[in-house]
Amino acid sequence: DHLVNQIAAGEVVERPASALKEMLENSLDAGSTRISVDLAQGGIKLIRVTDNGGGIAAEDLPLALDRHATSKIASLDDLESVATLGFRGEGLASVASVSRLTLVSRPQDAEHAHQIIAIDGTLHPVEPAAHPHGTSVEVVDLYFNTPARRKFLKSENTEYAHCAATFERIALAYPEVEFLLRHNGKVAWRLPSQSAEDRVAALLGKDFVAAAIPLDSQAGPLALTGFVASPTYSKASRDAQYFYVNGRFVRDKTAQHALRQAYRDVLHHDRHPAYALFFTLEPSGVDVNVHPTKIEVRFRESQAVHQFLFHSVHKALAGTTA
Ligand code: ADP
Ligand code: MG
C-alpha cells in the first residue's frame, strides 16, 4: 500500500509546486479569506500553507491524509456538479507519502487545535496543538524517502520559480482572498483582498494593464470576464496566458484555438496573445476529472464553447481597432 501510494504520488506530486497547488486548492475549498505560504529552498526543504478556513475536526484528521478520502463529494454522481477545486481525495495522501507532513487544524467551533504527523506516509496519533481558527499544512523534506524522484528535481531557483508561478496562477483567480508568499524568509508577494482588476495589475504588471482590453460577455450559462492584451503589449514582456475554467487554471486546446483565431482574424497575427480570462459554465458542462492534476478539462459541448470564446474575444479586440 505504501509503495502504491508513492507511485500514485508521482502522478500528482511531480515537484514542490504540485504539492503547493494541492495545498492552496484545499485552503480555497475550505473557504479561507487569508492564505500564507512559506517556502524554504525552493519548496524542497519546506512548504507551509496556513489558512483561516473552516478547518478539520480532530476525528477527521487521519481521514484527510487517507488516499481517496474526500469530504467534498459523496458519490460518483456528485462529480457532475463538483464545485470545489479538489474531489479526488488523493492530494494530501500523495504529498504525505513522500514527505514529513504535519497537519494542524482548528475548526471554527473548536476550543483548541489538533495535529497529526505523517512521516513517510505513516500516521502518528492525533494530539492537541496550538493554532488559530483554520489549518496549517507543513511539508518538510519532499522526496526524502524517494531518492530517485528527488534526483529529478531541478535547482532551488527553478523549483522556486515553479512554486511562484503556481502561487500567481491561483492568486490571480481569487482576488478577494488575501495572499502572502515568502521564500527563505523574504516576502515575495503580499496581496491584499482586492478587485479583480487590481489583482491583475498587481500580478501581471503595469504594461499588461496598459494594453489590457476588459471583457465581459455572457450567453446563457456561459460567461467570460477578464482581459485580453492589445498588440501594444510588448512581446518582449513575459508570456501572460492565463485561462481559467470555473476558477481553475487550465491548458485547454479548445480555448487556445479560439483565442488564436480571434487574434488572427482581428489583428492579422497570432503571436504572443496575452490574456487573463475567467470562463465559467455550469459544472456539468465540463469534465475536470481527465488528468490527475486537473490541468486539462473536457467540455461537453466544445463547439459551443469554442464559438462563444471566439466571439467574445473577437468583439473585444475589434472594438479597439474599429
Ligand atoms: P480533496 O481535496 O480531493 O478532497 P485532499 O487529499 O486534497 O483531497 O484533502 C483531503 C481532505 O482533507 C479534504 O477533502 C478536506 O476535507 C481536508 N482538508 C485538506 N486541507 C484542508 C484545509 N486547508 N482546510 C480544511 N480541510 C482540509
Ligand atoms: Mg485537495
Side-chain angles (χ1 to χ4, degrees):
D1 192 41
H2 190 49
L3 182 61
V4 170
N5 277 346
Q6 286 186 348
I7 291 169
E11 291 176 27
V12 185
V13 193
E14 199 190 331
R15 56 182 359 140
S18 3
L20 176 61
K21 173 175 181 279
E22 296 296 327
M23 293 154 78
L24 286 171
E25 290 187 345
N26 283 340
S27 293
L28 289 167
D29 282 344
S32 309
T33 58
R34 203 171 57 235
I35 302 174
S36 322
V37 180
D38 274 287
L39 304 173
Q41 299 176 18
I44 302 165
K45 185 69 208 164
L46 169 76
I47 308 169
R48 188 193 303 117
V49 174
T50 300
D51 68 47
N52 66 347
I56 307 167
E59 64 270 24
D60 292 335
L61 285 172
L63 265 186
L65 298 178
D66 192 30
R67 174 164 304 277
H68 302 310
T70 176
S71 60
K72 296 168 192 175
I73 60 171
S75 75
L76 266 187
D77 291 343
D78 292 349
L79 260 188
E80 276 276 287
S81 55
V82 68
T84 49
L85 294 165
F87 55 83
R88 294 168 59 98
E90 61 186 3
L92 276 192
S94 297
V95 177
S97 72
V98 290
S99 69
R100 307 179 219 270
L101 185 148
T102 305
L103 172 60
V104 193
S105 193
R106 179 172 167 196
Q108 302 302 321
D109 56 2
E111 234 160 77
H112 61 85
H114 284 86
Q115 73 172 34
I116 187 166
I117 295 177
I119 294 177
D120 215 2
T122 303
L123 302 189
H124 292 235
V126 172
E127 290 176 345
H131 194 276
H133 291 299
T135 303
S136 284
V137 183
E138 190 176 281
V139 173
V140 174
D141 293 332
L142 199 60
Y143 302 130
F144 80 95
N145 55 353
T146 44
R149 285 210 80 80
R150 194 170 176 121
K151 236 177 29 208
F152 277 98
L153 294 180
K154 302 281 191 273
S155 71
E156 263 181 52
N157 281 344
T158 302
E159 295 305 334
Y160 172 67
H162 282 285
C163 287
T166 294
F167 174 91
E168 289 158 16
R169 283 170 184 180
I170 289 177
L172 197 66
Y174 294 86
E176 68 285 1
V177 177
E178 193 183 319
F179 284 96
L180 176 70
L181 174 65
R182 272 186 298 240
H183 185 218
N184 295 334
K186 266 179 45 195
V187 174
W189 285 112
R190 190 189 295 279
L191 300 162
S193 171
Q194 56 196 163
S195 69
E197 195 167 351
D198 287 347
R199 182 60 59 89
V200 168
L203 285 167
L204 302 190
K206 288 200 182 74
D207 49 344
F208 180 85
V209 171
I213 304 157
L215 199 150
D216 190 349
S217 67
Q218 184 149 11
L222 312 183
L224 187 67
T225 63
F227 302 89
V228 288
S230 67
T232 59
Y233 183 62
S234 142
K235 60 173 191 263
S237 306
R238 72 189 174 112
D239 273 1
Q241 299 186 330
Y242 295 88
F243 185 76
Y244 297 83
V245 176
N246 292 347
R248 207 186 284 285
F249 178 92
V250 300
R251 298 213 178 282
D252 180 64
K253 294 239 156 55
T254 303
Q256 278 164 2
H257 186 267
L259 291 174
R260 228 181 305 120
Q261 204 175 329
Y263 269 84
R264 199 181 306 141
D265 254 43
V266 183
L267 306 170
H268 310 292
H269 78 71
D270 60 2
R271 286 164 294 139
H272 297 279
Y275 46 83
L277 291 171
F278 306 96
F279 176 49
T280 55
L281 75 172
E282 73 283 15
S284 60
V286 56
D287 183 1
V288 289
N289 197 19
V290 178
H291 189 266
T293 68
K294 313 182 195 84
I295 187 92
E296 288 168 34
V297 294
R298 203 171 291 134
F299 294 113
R300 181 183 281 182
E301 303 196 31
S302 66
Q303 277 224 299
V305 168
H306 187 281
Q307 246 181 37
F308 171 71
L309 295 175
F310 171 77
H311 283 298
S312 304
V313 174
H314 191 283
K315 205 173 81 192
L317 289 173
T320 59
T321 54

